[in-house]
Amino acid sequence: MELLNGFKNPFRSEYKRWVFLVGLVAISHLLFQSFLLPYGNALRSLLLPGIDDSIEGNYGNVVSPVRSGSKSVVVRNTLTINGSDFSTRDVILFNDGNGGGGVGISGRKIGDWVEKGVSNVIFDGNVDDDYAFENGEDLNENAMLEEVIRDQDNYVNATSRIEQVAKHGREVSIGELRDVNTTSQYPALSSMANPTPNAGSSFRSTSLQSDHTVSKSNSLMVVKPGKKKMRCEMPPKTVTTIDEMNRILLRHRRSSRAMRPRRSSIRDKEIFAAKSWIENGPVITNDQDLYAPVFRNVSLFKRSYELMEQILKVYVYKDGKKPIFHLPILKGLYASEGWFMKLMQGNKHFVVKDPRRAHLFYMPFSSRMLEYTLYVRNSHNRTNLRQFLKDYTETISAKYPYFNRTDGADHFLVACHDWAPYETRHHMEHCIKALCNADVTAGFKIGRDVSLPETYVRSARNPLRDLGGKPASQRHILAFYAGSMHGYLRPILLKHWKDKDTDMKILGPMPPGVASKMNYIQHMKSTKYCICPKGYEVNSPRVVESIFYECVPVIISDNFVPPFFEVLDWGAFSIILAEKDIPNLKDILTSIPQERYLALQLGVRKVQRHFLWHAKPERYDLFHMTLHSIWYNRVYQIKLR
């Protein structure tokens, strides 16, 4: 017995040492992981080391961090989806803990499930304008990303039950997902088959997977207090006045700096000939279709427009996967790029299937979906977004001969996100860029690039809802502004004019709700001058909103190039002021004679048709005006070898 106890004691002491060592390692691991993993979710990584925190993908994937255990996922932003193309196991809804979220597809491309039935994306919700993503997205938009993917003709909601629990911020188990799917009208949703990776892609590389995958470490990056102010939070160091912009445009027209193509094609010669036809066309004295005062030169515009209708052919690249490519957003703040994409891809007059017949080449990506899909919230790092587009241009350059022939000078993009100038820098530098963020200090080239109107579409089914306003005689409010305090300029505006003068209705954010929205619209319909200060960037949807509601826009945004600057005379229907003139705002507006105001308001009503989207495009509407400015700038910059 004594011998047996002699054997037990050493084992007991060794066992205690082993337990102590294991416990120490476990505690150290938990403490270490709590600093590295988001939300201190260390226990899951310790107990379930096989569960990764990211869903890796390649070109076209939704790359999204998952903040959940293996049995359930936290849902904040729910998606309205076409449920017939993927199984329950493929869907991963997530909350990133910072107001963001989305959907991940385990092991397959998002293009596999949106390719068949979904043609449009609609971001719904009460969204304010021009927020700065570098400071974190406006939580209103990402928190209200309902109905994100819907069929073009049929409104499909296969996740209504998930949506209800998501609004309460609680977890949704896989069992609940299965229940929702089995009770829906889409039986394919109840399939629990293993996800099948998509083997076929034009864009697969190790670098893409590593560059665009969201990692655990960079998903935790947060804004540190006392950090250096960003560019959008400070006044510009230099200011280019509207008169200087006019001089730049004239210089560009006289002598284009565009590079000569490596070899001239017959299409180049056709565009080159169009320039002389435009400049030697007949002079128009009285046109029934167009209101001459709102144009720089109505004769040149009309002749150019007619030649565009007769000559121009566009090739739309098929390359690229949804949701970043070929999936237009039709509602909300970034609707301009979506409506153009939808109408361009569906156009049979301008679009050709044979790229050899094309004068211009369209790269159909959504800058909004690029940000939503790839950007890591609060990381303040957009390098992977730019790299993504760089890889895309390198791919089409290697696959087709057209980009390299002109260095992209006959290629164009249409992008409304604030970051588009950064994302398209260098690798798309010679392309024609139609941008909402038309800032001359951020690389916008007057005479080559196109200032794209930023339209806030409230109804995708009826983009003309609430169009129009009261006649000039019934507009009794001198000036009106209401909105969030984005950027450095709007607080200055409110400092000088909020509650200072009964004629100046200068307000802060409007309270949420339908009644508030209608009040906002009625104010614009009843005001003489609608104040359009810049937000985080130079552009603002209020410019087009003012025209939409027939209110004379007062643009206060240094270095902003107004939309369609190459053809429209903005002095005929708007007031453009320097930011330094805010203290004198009322004096400036009251000094405008009534006759001048009536002429401006008439100009607004006449130019309005050029800023409207139509489901079936009409002559001189916003779609055709955008395409014309792209064509017009190409005509005036082309050179032959």
Side-chain angles (χ1 to χ4, degrees):
M1 182 65 76
E2 291 179 359
L3 183 62
L4 183 61
N5 289 335
F7 278 106
K8 284 183 179 180
N9 288 333
F11 279 107
R12 187 175 296 116
S13 59
E14 289 295 329
Y15 176 79
K16 289 180 180 179
R17 288 195 198 97
W18 184 84
V19 170
F20 176 79
L21 182 61
V22 170
L24 183 62
V25 170
I27 293 171
S28 301
H29 182 80
L30 286 170
L31 290 174
F32 181 73
Q33 288 291 327
S34 68
F35 289 102
L36 294 183
L37 290 181
Y39 321 114
N41 195 359
L43 188 59
R44 179 173 61 85
S45 69
L46 180 66
L47 300 179
L48 303 170
I51 305 297
D52 195 5
D53 280 341
S54 64
I55 301 173
E56 294 194 40
N58 43 32
Y59 203 87
N61 271 20
V62 173
V63 186
S64 307
V66 179
R67 320 294 189 201
S68 66
S70 59
K71 295 291 184 181
S72 65
V73 290
V74 178
V75 177
R76 180 181 178 89
N77 297 334
T78 57
L79 303 177
T80 301
I81 50 182
N82 185 337
S84 60
D85 297 307
F86 57 93
S87 68
T88 308
R89 201 165 187 172
D90 295 329
V91 184
I92 302 177
L93 298 163
F94 71 89
N95 173 3
D96 71 358
N98 294 299
V103 61
I105 305 301
S106 175
R108 69 167 58 182
K109 291 177 178 294
I110 195 168
D112 294 342
W113 55 270
V114 298
E115 191 75 40
K116 297 180 181 179
V118 180
S119 56
N120 302 326
V121 175
I122 300 175
F123 284 170
D124 203 358
N126 180 19
V127 186
D128 196 20
D129 66 337
D130 41 33
Y131 49 91
F133 290 85
E134 277 291 5
N135 287 340
E137 292 180 351
D138 186 351
L139 298 184
N140 285 337
E141 177 162 345
N142 267 7
M144 298 293 290
L145 280 180
E146 305 163 348
E147 311 165 18
V148 171
I149 301 177
R150 89 167 49 162
D151 189 273
Q152 182 169 342
D153 300 315
N154 301 312
Y155 182 75
V156 180
N157 186 0
T159 56
S160 58
R161 186 169 157 196
I162 301 175
E163 193 169 340
Q164 292 300 316
V165 294
K167 291 180 180 178
H168 295 87
R170 68 179 180 84
E171 291 188 345
V172 182
S173 67
I174 293 297
E176 287 176 297
L177 285 171
R178 188 185 300 113
D179 291 341
V180 172
N181 294 332
T182 53
T183 57
S184 72
Q185 57 180 319
Y186 304 101
L189 280 172
S190 60
S191 171
M192 292 296 291
N194 290 327
T196 304
N198 187 349
S201 173
S202 302
F203 311 99
R204 292 188 75 167
S205 68
T206 305
S207 64
L208 284 174
Q209 292 185 17
S210 61
D211 289 343
H212 307 311
T213 301
V214 179
S215 66
K216 290 181 287 187
S217 59
N218 63 14
S219 65
L220 187 62
M221 299 176 72
V222 295
V223 180
K224 294 182 180 180
K227 67 181 181 65
K228 182 180 178 181
K229 280 190 176 182
M230 291 176 293
R231 179 177 175 272
C232 63
E233 298 173 323
M234 298 181 292
K237 295 179 180 179
T238 60
V239 175
T240 303
T241 66
I242 196 72
D243 291 334
E244 291 171 333
M245 293 179 189
N246 286 324
R247 288 193 287 271
I248 293 171
L249 181 63
L250 290 175
R251 282 201 307 271
H252 189 277
R253 290 290 178 258
R254 288 195 298 266
S255 178
S256 171
R257 296 183 179 180
M259 65 165 287
R260 296 182 187 276
R262 289 177 171 80
R263 63 186 183 282
S264 296
S265 69
I266 187 174
R267 308 306 167 199
D268 293 333
K269 295 173 183 177
E270 289 173 351
I271 292 184
F272 188 80
K275 180 179 178 180
S276 62
W277 296 339
I278 292 170
E279 294 180 340
N280 297 314
V283 176
I284 298 174
T285 55
N286 186 18
D287 189 87
Q288 299 298 318
D289 285 338
L290 300 169
Y291 184 62
V294 301
F295 291 93
R296 290 177 177 272
N297 187 320
V298 71
S299 300
L300 289 181
F301 171 77
K302 179 146 189 175
R303 183 62 176 150
S304 173
Y305 189 93
E306 290 172 345
L307 287 170
M308 177 190 75
E309 291 180 314
Q310 296 169 19
I311 297 173
L312 179 62
K313 298 301 176 186
V314 178
Y315 179 74
V316 181
Y317 282 107
K318 304 295 191 295
D319 307 76
K321 290 287 187 178
K322 297 176 181 180
I324 295 175
F325 296 88
H326 310 293
L327 194 63
I329 303 169
L330 300 182
K331 184 177 178 180
L333 191 62
Y334 305 97
S336 289
E337 66 179 23
W339 275 93
F340 184 88
M341 184 190 297
K342 171 184 169 64
L343 299 176
M344 188 79 258
Q345 290 183 322
N347 191 281
K348 295 181 179 179
H349 178 78
F350 295 109
V351 175
V352 291
K353 295 181 180 179
D354 184 356
R356 293 171 296 181
R357 296 179 55 204
H359 303 90
L360 292 170
F361 298 80
Y362 173 41
M363 298 174 287
F365 69 90
S366 166
S367 60
R368 174 55 177 119
M369 290 306 295
L370 177 67
E371 175 273 329
Y372 181 71
T373 305
L374 297 181
Y375 179 64
V376 181
R377 287 292 307 279
N378 293 330
S379 69
H380 305 286
N381 187 348
R382 299 168 287 174
T383 306
N384 61 327
L385 281 66
R386 186 168 67 174
Q387 181 65 36
F388 185 89
L389 292 182
K390 181 177 183 291
D391 294 335
Y392 170 73
T393 54
E394 289 176 350
T395 299
I396 61 174
S397 298
K399 187 175 180 180
Y400 307 96
Y402 310 107
F403 193 96
N404 288 336
R405 188 182 68 85
T406 62
D407 245 10
D410 55 357
H411 286 56
F412 72 92
L413 59 97
V414 178
C416 203
H417 196 279
D418 288 350
W419 293 353
Y422 169 83
E423 295 161 355
T424 58
R425 197 177 299 163
H426 305 310
H427 47 281
M428 295 181 176
E429 186 56 36
H430 299 292
C431 300
I432 301 171
K433 305 175 186 179
L435 304 171
C436 289
N437 187 5
D439 185 347
V440 292
T441 65
F444 185 91
K445 304 296 183 184
I446 297 174
R448 183 200 68 187
D449 297 334
V450 174
S451 179
L452 179 68
E454 184 175 7
T455 56
Y456 185 7
V457 177
R458 288 181 165 81
S459 172
R461 297 186 184 278
N462 181 18
L464 304 183
R465 189 176 70 186
D466 299 322
L467 178 66
K470 294 181 179 180
S473 60
Q474 298 179 25
R475 292 178 176 264
H476 303 302
I477 303 172
L478 177 64
F480 169 69
Y481 168 79
S484 296
M485 294 296 97
H486 296 151
Y488 65 87
L489 189 65
R490 296 180 184 181
I492 296 174
L493 177 67
L494 264 67
K495 175 184 175 182
H496 285 279
W497 294 109
K498 184 181 180 183
D499 300 327
K500 300 293 176 64
D501 194 303
T502 55
D503 292 331
M504 306 285 286
K505 300 290 185 182
I506 308 299
L507 311 173
M510 299 286 282
V514 175
S516 179
K517 285 183 180 179
M518 293 308 298
N519 187 30
Y520 175 85
I521 292 172
Q522 289 306 314
H523 269 79
M524 297 198 82
K525 288 175 175 283
S526 306
T527 300
K528 290 183 177 181
Y529 299 100
C530 289
I531 311 302
C532 307
K534 65 177 290 185
Y536 288 117
E537 301 295 343
V538 294
N539 51 300
S540 170
R542 283 179 181 78
V543 177
V544 177
E545 271 188 331
S546 301
I547 297 172
F548 195 86
Y549 299 123
E550 299 175 359
C551 178
V552 176
V554 179
I555 302 173
I556 309 176
S557 179
D558 291 346
N559 300 315
F560 174 55
V561 182
F564 308 137
F565 184 69
E566 51 281 325
V567 295
L568 294 182
D569 179 7
W570 279 79
F573 56 93
S574 72
I575 303 295
I576 298 178
L577 300 180
E579 295 173 8
K580 63 182 177 59
D581 291 329
I582 285 180
N584 304 317
L585 183 56
K586 183 178 180 180
D587 291 340
I588 293 171
L589 297 180
T590 54
S591 67
I592 299 173
Q594 178 68 7
E595 183 180 352
R596 170 65 176 154
Y597 164 70
L598 293 176
L600 289 169
Q601 212 264 340
L602 176 62
V604 168
R605 288 188 279 118
K606 293 294 186 180
V607 84
Q608 184 189 72
R609 63 183 296 201
H610 305 305
F611 290 88
L612 302 178
W613 294 110
H614 299 275
K616 294 182 179 180
E618 299 179 2
R619 287 194 86 196
Y620 305 118
D621 69 355
L622 187 43
F623 168 72
H624 285 105
M625 289 293 290
T626 303
L627 186 60
H628 172 266
S629 283
I630 294 168
W631 146 270
Y632 191 70
N633 285 354
R634 177 59 179 157
V635 166
Y636 274 90
Q637 72 171 349
I638 193 168
K639 294 180 179 180
L640 298 180
R641 182 169 293 280

